[in-house]
Amino acid sequence: GAGVSQSPSNKVTEKGKDVELRCDPISGHTALYWYRQSLGQGLEFLIYFQGNSAPDKSGLPSDRFSAERTGGSVSTLTIQRTQQEDSAVYLCASSLGAGLDEQYFGPGTRLTVT
Amino acid sequence: AQSVTQLGSHVSVSEGALVLLRCNYSSSVPPYLFWYVQYPNQGLQLLLKYTTGATLVKGINGFEAEFKKSETSFHLTKPSAHMSDAAEYFCAVVHTGGFKTIFGAGTRLFVKA
């Protein structure tokens, strides 16, 4: 079956522009996560969606970052007024439930801010 | 706050040698513990996990890990390395009853012929 997909795979943008990153989770998975992976760093938790519950946004680094999940499926991560330090690989993962369920990761979106 | 420490950002072993990748966590209660692997140009995938029960957990591709509460460790081992094991390995923890996953910085494994 289809795995988690993300688009675009690569995005180059100029400092100050807004970007939208998309994640299509595995059908039927209620939990969706966004992470950021910077060079030489581990995965940094950004935000978590579970069903119809309010998302946990505690990992978002600033108010320039926001995310939505429409209809319990597709999610969009938006970064406004991008900065060079936003350059990283943004990973999306989904799981059947939360906590101890295996997370299935997408291939990521590599964002470069020039 | 929970944290995960992976000792050694890079580990190099010879083909056929023992693989040992170290992971220590800090948590007031035993968390759920995971190892994920990221092969070159591929997404992360689960190697194994510990939730409850037997502390020695076996995963895919011959890997196993042992949860040691007294040492707050969850080291990953494989008796004999194969060239195809070259990848980046991430240890992760989830607080029991929670969902937020904290990942370590990762250890890149190199396997020499």
Side-chain angles (χ1 to χ4, degrees):
Chain A
V4 177
S5 61
Q6 292 185 245
S7 61
S9 56
N10 281 285
K11 177 71 176 179
V12 180
T13 190
E14 293 180 353
K15 178 182 172 182
K17 300 284 181 122
D18 297 352
V19 295
E20 282 190 354
L21 312 180
R22 177 187 168 105
C23 172
D24 283 86
I26 293 173
S27 177
H29 281 192
T30 62
L32 187 147
Y33 303 77
W34 281 99
Y35 297 93
R36 180 167 67 176
Q37 186 177 21
S38 303
L39 190 63
Q41 305 292 316
L43 277 70
E44 176 188 5
F45 168 83
L46 297 178
I47 188 168
Y48 161 81
F49 296 90
Q50 171 63 48
N52 296 321
S53 302
D56 182 325
K57 305 178 182 181
S58 61
L60 295 179
S62 77
D63 59 7
R64 297 186 296 104
F65 288 73
S66 62
E68 291 183 338
R69 189 178 186 191
T70 54
S73 181
V74 172
S75 178
T76 302
L77 177 69
T78 301
I79 308 173
Q80 295 179 309
R81 305 180 302 281
T82 52
Q83 304 294 313
Q84 288 188 328
E85 61 263 28
D86 299 334
S87 296
V89 176
Y90 289 82
L91 294 170
C92 175
S94 70
S95 64
L96 269 175
L100 53 73
D101 287 341
E102 175 180 358
Q103 294 180 42
Y104 294 80
F105 284 81
T109 293
R110 182 176 297 278
L111 175 66
T112 303
V113 182
T114 61
Chain B
Q2 285 184 307
S3 67
V4 179
T5 302
Q6 292 185 238
L7 188 62
S9 59
H10 296 82
V11 170
S12 182
V13 300
S14 297
E15 193 172 21
L18 171 72
V19 176
L20 171 61
L21 304 182
R22 299 177 187 275
C23 173
N24 288 87
Y25 66 90
S26 66
S27 176
S28 56
V29 295
Y32 300 136
L33 296 156
F34 303 79
W35 276 97
Y36 282 85
V37 60
Q38 188 172 30
Y39 296 105
N41 301 315
Q42 295 186 32
L44 277 85
Q45 59 182 281
L46 182 69
L47 260 184
L48 49 79
K49 67 178 181 182
Y50 169 80
T51 53
T52 58
T55 56
L56 181 62
V57 180
K58 295 185 185 299
I60 61 172
N61 300 335
F63 283 92
E64 61 183 36
E66 186 171 11
F67 167 57
K68 292 187 176 180
K69 182 180 176 181
S70 60
E71 298 177 7
T72 60
S73 69
F74 191 56
H75 301 331
L76 182 70
T77 61
K78 182 174 180 177
S80 177
H82 191 275
M83 297 295 288
S84 61
D85 295 327
E88 189 153 22
Y89 293 79
F90 294 91
C91 181
V93 302
V94 176
H95 186 72
T96 307
F99 57 86
K100 187 172 179 177
T101 307
I102 307 300
F103 282 83
T107 297
R108 186 167 294 278
L109 176 66
F110 297 92
V111 182
K112 300 175 291 186

